Amino acid sequence: MKILAIETSCDETAVAILECTGDLDAARFNVLGNALYSQAEKHSEYGGVYPNLAKREHAANFTPLLQAALAEAEMLMANHEPLSVEQCETLGELLSREADLANALIDFTSEFEVPDIDAIAVTHGPGLEPALWVGLNAARALSYLWNKPIIPTNHIEGHIVSSLTLPNPKGGFDLVDVRMPTLALIVSGGHTELVYMTDWFDYRIIGGTRDDAAGEAFDKFARMLGLPYPGGPEISKLAEKARREGINSKITLPRPMLTSADCDFSFSGLKTAALYSLREYESEHGLMGDREKKGFAREFEEAVIDVLVAKTRKALSQHKSGTLVIGGGVSASKALRVSLQEMADKNFPDMDCAASVPSLATDNAVMIGMAAFMREISEQVPNLSFEELRAQGNLKLQ
Ligand code: KG4
Ligand code: ZN
């Protein structure tokens, strides 16, 4: 099955084309085309993602990315038949709020043949609604013009499924041997959740953040240190240097909710503690220099990791799991992966650990295509009409 996948839930505009084969036990994903544009630099001056700017950028970049992904998949074929007046009108209605996107898609679909795909997968939530709408509207327009079904896909499910794959020698990805029940730790800019799966798509949320997500905490902390958005990778780099150079901070930060009885998280207190510590340090010593910044980044990263690892351990001791999987942007952190692996080896030696290749950890469209395929073969695609297919900022796993 060939799937065109679209992701626009946050600040990455992404289009991928996947050829998917196999079944729930042995799925195989061949990436035929993959185009991604990160708007991170554009949002940098706001210190976070600015929804209306994200929407505009998605709309401007979608069609060129679609073209690039289809070209890479060798699916761009010139077509000399222009769209009918009726098609242009319907497209105009479907994209009534996005005239530029409508015009770009009219030009594109008039110029090129219908590609050899079987379905269009698109993220319908969770995420920023103005951003999600761009992908959804584009998917609806292409679905109408090309007569292809839509597979509405949950962004978090994309993180989970893609983290359960490994690269194969042919340049694609194979599903790992997933032993259910599986526990997923999802750590991204918008989410920090422990999800227990007794089977595919059978979810129970057993822990979550009460305030900031882990990635959000990294982004806000990085901003305090004057580092660009997204802050997670910047903090990771500084912390790594501190470890290599044997630098420890003079500052000690709290590990919020480390010993609470539940599997929940809270990172906003940690962020506030970091801010007060920074102010106190600077009132005593003046501006923080590079060396102390490295140590401070190390301390902050270790505080976040200590809590993530302790709560994952607690969840595993209460919910027997065959596989532990980590996904979401923060799972790109090598330090987090190493700490989780050490905890697992020590306490749950029979359990398998899974994580995606780093390039699939942060937002992309490949993961959306992967999750859509797993839904398709388990016959659990949400049955939504065109009208019901809406951006759902708070979409839950279900
Ligand atoms: O999954 P993702 O790309 O987008 C959302 O769905 O939110 O996650 C983005 C988040 C950002 O907060 C970013 O700072 C964080 O993931 N991140 C990291 C690392 N790479 C990305 N956090 C810590 N360490 C990293 N290496
Ligand atoms: Zn994400």
Side-chain angles (χ1 to χ4, degrees):
M1 174 181 200
K2 288 185 192 144
I3 298 178
L4 175 101
I6 300 171
E7 157 63 37
T8 64
S9 70
C10 193
D11 59 340
E12 261 89 30
T13 321
V15 180
I17 294 131
L18 271 66
E19 184 174 26
C20 313
T21 51
D23 52 35
L24 281 178
D25 293 324
R28 177 162 273 203
F29 307 96
N30 194 4
V31 182
L32 305 178
N34 186 15
L36 183 143
Y37 170 72
S38 172
Q39 310 166 5
E41 232 171 68
K42 307 240 162 174
H43 295 278
S44 208
E45 63 180 290
Y46 304 98
V49 182
Y50 184 58
N52 281 329
L53 174 62
K55 173 189 151 86
R56 279 199 304 276
E57 285 291 315
H58 286 312
N61 294 310
F62 177 78
T63 313
L65 288 166
L66 172 70
Q67 180 160 350
L70 286 168
E72 191 189 345
E74 295 180 2
M75 286 186 185
L76 268 189
M77 242 95 68
N79 166 32
H80 299 292
E81 226 175 286
L83 298 189
S84 67
V85 174
E86 191 195 334
Q87 282 177 316
C88 290
E89 277 174 8
T90 308
L91 205 72
E93 277 167 33
L94 283 171
L95 298 177
S96 59
R97 300 218 193 117
E98 322 221 22
D100 291 350
L101 180 61
N103 289 333
L105 284 176
I106 288 173
D107 288 349
F108 180 83
T109 47
S110 308
E111 193 176 344
F112 299 105
E113 285 271 8
V114 178
D116 172 26
I117 56 161
D118 302 294
I120 299 168
V122 62
T123 308
H124 63 136
L128 304 169
E129 290 194 356
L132 286 162
W133 270 119
V134 179
L136 281 166
N137 280 330
R140 293 206 288 194
L142 294 174
S143 165
Y144 160 72
L145 290 171
W146 292 345
N147 197 21
K148 306 286 179 190
I150 291 182
I151 306 178
T153 304
N154 182 306
H155 180 85
I156 302 295
E157 200 162 280
H159 279 307
I160 295 176
V161 173
S162 59
S163 301
L164 288 166
T165 67
L166 277 179
N168 64 33
K170 292 186 173 159
F173 297 89
D174 290 345
L175 195 70
V176 298
D177 179 18
V178 184
R179 288 161 58 209
M180 296 290 180
T182 284
L183 182 77
L185 170 67
I186 299 302
V187 270
S188 71
H191 289 83
T192 300
E193 269 176 0
L194 281 160
V195 183
Y196 193 59
M197 301 193 293
T198 43
D199 203 347
W200 284 107
F201 314 122
D202 191 350
Y203 302 112
R204 232 171 85 201
I205 309 297
I206 57 173
T209 182
R210 299 198 177 164
D211 38 59
D212 292 353
E216 193 180 355
F218 278 120
D219 295 338
K220 289 177 175 169
F221 176 65
R223 203 175 177 203
M224 276 178 223
L225 295 187
L227 300 166
Y229 169 85
E234 302 291 326
I235 299 301
S236 253
K237 271 184 241 158
L238 285 185
E240 192 56 43
K241 281 185 191 156
R243 275 188 285 273
R244 264 206 316 271
E245 295 166 24
I247 302 170
N248 275 300
S249 179
K250 295 186 184 74
I251 299 167
T252 307
L253 292 170
R255 271 58 176 162
M257 297 182 65
L258 189 69
T259 54
S260 68
D262 49 46
C263 294
D264 286 341
F265 307 90
S266 164
F267 293 108
S268 112
L270 174 63
K271 172 194 68 190
T272 313
L275 181 63
Y276 288 145
S277 304
L278 179 64
R279 283 196 191 145
E280 203 179 303
Y281 178 93
E282 295 195 333
S283 72
E284 270 178 45
H285 304 90
L287 275 187
M288 193 178 261
D290 281 352
R291 188 179 166 84
E292 184 57 28
K293 266 191 191 170
K294 287 181 203 164
F296 197 23
R298 174 180 182 178
E299 172 64 10
F300 189 89
E301 186 184 68
E302 288 179 359
V304 174
I305 291 177
D306 284 352
V307 182
L308 291 174
V309 172
K311 289 300 169 102
T312 305
R313 183 180 167 190
K314 179 162 282 166
L316 288 168
S317 62
Q318 292 168 356
H319 301 84
K320 195 171 165 35
S321 306
T323 303
L324 167 68
V325 57
I326 51 163
V330 181
S331 77
S333 159
K334 201 171 145 223
L336 173 61
R337 288 175 182 222
V338 169
S339 300
L340 278 170
Q341 186 74 56
E342 281 171 4
M343 178 277 290
D345 289 347
K346 194 164 153 218
N347 301 283
F348 309 97
D350 297 333
M351 184 182 66
D352 295 334
C353 291
S356 67
V357 290
S359 62
L360 286 188
T362 46
D363 290 352
N364 62 85
V366 173
M367 69 181 200
I368 300 306
M370 288 173 164
F373 179 66
M374 297 303 281
R375 281 271 172 187
E376 181 70 30
I377 56 175
S378 62
E379 297 179 3
Q380 293 196 60
V381 174
N383 187 12
L384 301 174
S385 67
F386 250 41
E387 289 69 36
E388 289 166 330
L389 184 64
R390 317 185 65 81
Q392 297 183 54
N394 294 314
L395 183 66
K396 303 283 175 251
L397 282 169
Q398 55 199 358

